[in-house]
């Protein structure tokens, strides 16, 4: 099949619709397909069959839209193909290796683990308990 300005799916759909709608007149269906193929090639085809011309004129707008859509899709595909390659994706191992290669011994400092705080002594615990303990209020004093 030669390269068409529309997708194969659109061409198959148009062909099926013409053949289905003109199934009662196979000569008209063949003539309509000849006109469609000539239009897709960019030439004008003359025909004396009014039924084939009617069928072609009914789908001509659809063919124009499909041709424009296919041209834009081909342009985008060409741009993607010619676009410069993006940055290479690194694996986690490569990222770690790259980061470690940039470090120097001066970047590291010796870290001592923090010592856990000592528990309070018996004296400190008793003082804390006395501070929490509520005292009795005098019943004779009035505020």
């Amino acid at each position: 099949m030669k390269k068409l300005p529309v997708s194969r799916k659109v061409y198959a759909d148009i062909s099926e619709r013409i053949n289905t709608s003109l199934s009662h007149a196979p000569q008209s269906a063949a003539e309509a397909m000849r006109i469609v193929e000539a239009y897709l090639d960019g030439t004008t085809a003359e025909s004396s069959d009014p039924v084939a011309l009617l069928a072609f004129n009914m789908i001509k707008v659809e063919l124009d839209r499909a041709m424009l859509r296919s041209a834009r899709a081909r342009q985008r595909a060409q741009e993607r193909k010619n676009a410069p390659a993006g940055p290479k994706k690194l694996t986690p191992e490569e990222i770690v290796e790259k980061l470690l290669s940039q470090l120097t011994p001066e970047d590291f400092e010796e870290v001592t683990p923090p010592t856990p705080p000592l528990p309070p002594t018996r004296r400190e615990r008793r003082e804390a308990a006395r501070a929490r303990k509520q005292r009795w209020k005098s019943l004779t004093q009035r505020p």
Side-chain angles (χ1 to χ4, degrees), residues 10-93:
V10 169
Y11 183 79
D13 181 52
I14 296 292
S15 175
E16 180 183 347
R17 286 170 47 195
I18 287 176
N19 288 328
T20 303
S21 62
L22 299 178
S23 62
H24 64 281
Q27 294 84 11
S28 294
E31 182 66 16
M33 283 307 299
R34 186 186 68 76
I35 297 171
V36 166
E37 289 174 3
Y39 185 73
L40 292 176
D41 286 337
T43 61
T44 57
E46 298 295 324
S47 178
S48 59
D49 188 354
V51 176
L53 285 173
L54 177 68
F56 170 72
N57 286 327
M58 289 179 73
I59 61 166
K60 184 179 177 191
V61 174
E62 219 174 307
L63 283 172
D64 290 335
R65 272 188 284 168
M67 288 168 54
L68 182 64
R69 191 172 51 238
S70 291
R72 279 190 266 156
R74 286 187 177 113
Q75 178 66 32
R76 285 192 308 269
Q78 188 66 31
E79 288 171 2
R80 276 193 311 270
K81 186 177 179 181
N82 295 337
K88 178 188 169 203
K89 292 193 177 193
L90 300 175
T91 64
E93 294 81 19

Side-chain angles (χ1 to χ4, degrees), residues 111-130:
V111 178
T112 58
T115 57
L118 296 174
T121 62
R122 182 175 180 188
R123 177 179 283 169
E124 293 168 342
R125 288 193 312 264
R126 286 182 152 219
E127 285 175 4
R130 276 190 228 121

